[in-house]
Amino acid sequence: MGKEKLAAAFQTVKKRGDKAFVPYIMAGDGGLDQLDDQLSFLEEAGATAVELGIAFSDPVADGPTIQEAGLRALANGVSLRSVLDKLKEKKDERNIPIVLMTYINPIHAYGVTEFASSCAEAGVDGLIIPDLPLEEEGLVTDSLAENGIALIRLAALTSTEDRLTEIAKRTEGFLYAVTVTGTTGVRSVFKENLGQHLEKLREACNVPVLAGFGVSTPEHVTLLTEHCDGVVVGSRIVDLLYKGERDTIRELIQSAQISKVNN
């Protein structure tokens, strides 16, 4: 479980000749009773793993679409603890890896040791903490390691080369390569040198490199995966799921399945 489950999922995708596709959803958007169905749908549609966001009152990395989803989840009474309890209920029936995305304050309030243990009990395989810098990772690394949970680092475009190299060396599960400056949200264009940036990260990294932030169309998926191992898609998935447009989500996920396109 944990790191091994994530690694196996990415290896399966690579063997097929495909690219990884990790959709982001907000836990409890539409009610926490919808979560099992949402995860089952995404697994059936071909997602490699699911990034599961936890609603938070000060989501510094999130754009408007995800902020609104978080507010809907909070209005439904969703909390970090309630999400972990929900995940635990069907842990043994779920095959798709789960990557939790939350901020350091809720983890601190939960208690780091108890949080890591609860994540393992709930079948969480990886963790993204966007407001936790390298210098403060010691707050969580031991507890996560003891429970086999991957700490997935984000590589920002604004970071220095030395810092990016260090992030690439430390990351577990995969490296989350942020493709834009600013918060999450749908974009129409990316910087011209983004492909070169992604390829440099791949050279420095021993795990898959996935591009995220602003990815919203099959064309984006095709463009970015020429230079990396897959994509993370958040705002677009959140919006489509909220609107009930599951066929469009399925098409977006399948745009990363190169083997099917070529056959």
Side-chain angles (χ1 to χ4, degrees):
M1 302 300 287
K3 296 177 187 179
E4 293 79 12
K5 187 174 179 179
L6 266 176
F10 286 118
Q11 191 61 34
T12 297
V13 169
K14 186 176 181 180
K15 283 182 179 178
R16 285 201 310 259
D18 293 339
K19 297 292 184 172
F21 191 107
V22 177
Y24 168 103
I25 64 172
M26 176 64 68
D29 184 14
L32 205 51
D33 59 331
Q34 300 296 309
L35 183 58
D36 290 333
D37 174 67
Q38 291 168 347
L39 294 176
S40 294
F41 160 68
L42 292 170
E43 180 175 356
E44 182 271 330
T48 308
V50 175
E51 182 185 351
L52 188 61
I54 304 296
F56 181 51
S57 58
D58 188 24
V60 293
D62 298 331
T65 298
I66 293 177
Q67 285 189 26
E68 289 167 10
L71 290 173
R72 292 193 294 267
L74 289 172
N76 286 323
V78 175
S79 67
L80 176 56
R81 192 174 294 273
S82 68
V83 173
L84 289 173
D85 287 345
K86 186 66 177 175
L87 288 173
K88 185 178 178 180
E89 290 177 4
K90 294 196 175 180
K91 169 189 173 182
D92 295 332
E93 299 174 31
R94 195 170 53 242
N95 294 314
I96 193 165
I98 302 295
V99 174
L100 214 63
M101 197 290 272
T102 188
Y103 293 88
I104 192 62
N105 276 0
I107 295 173
H108 180 73
Y110 199 113
V112 173
T113 303
E114 184 186 357
F115 168 73
S117 175
S118 294
C119 281
E121 291 171 1
V124 171
D125 304 288
L127 184 65
I128 297 172
I129 312 173
D131 61 342
L132 182 67
L134 287 177
E135 293 77 12
E136 297 177 23
E137 284 183 354
L139 293 168
V140 302
T141 46
D142 288 348
S143 294
L144 294 180
E146 287 170 9
N147 288 278
I149 297 167
L151 181 57
I152 296 158
R153 278 74 166 186
L154 290 96
L157 287 172
T158 52
S159 295
T160 64
E161 283 200 28
D162 287 347
R163 190 171 184 83
L164 287 172
T165 300
E166 184 64 25
I167 290 169
K169 285 179 181 177
R170 287 200 205 182
T171 195
E172 301 165 336
F174 65 90
L175 178 65
Y176 194 139
V178 178
T179 59
V180 299
T181 53
T183 59
T184 61
V186 173
R187 302 293 201 283
S188 57
V189 295
F190 298 98
K191 289 190 174 182
E192 288 183 11
N193 63 346
L194 181 58
Q196 184 180 5
H197 170 73
L198 293 171
E199 288 171 8
K200 278 187 178 181
L201 290 176
R202 286 182 90 183
E203 291 173 6
C205 212
N206 292 320
V207 293
V209 174
L210 272 62
F213 281 49
V215 185
S216 59
T217 68
E219 290 75 21
H220 287 166
V221 175
T222 301
L223 175 68
L224 292 170
T225 54
E226 288 181 13
H227 309 284
C228 64
D229 304 294
V231 293
V232 180
V233 181
S235 295
R236 181 65 172 152
I237 296 289
V238 168
D239 184 47
L240 291 170
L241 198 60
Y242 180 63
K243 293 177 179 177
E245 298 180 19
R246 293 195 171 193
D247 287 344
T248 306
I249 293 175
R250 192 187 307 275
E251 290 169 9
L252 191 52
I253 292 173
Q254 291 176 350
S255 68
Q257 297 173 356
I258 299 169
S259 60
K260 290 184 180 180
V261 174
N262 292 338
N263 288 335

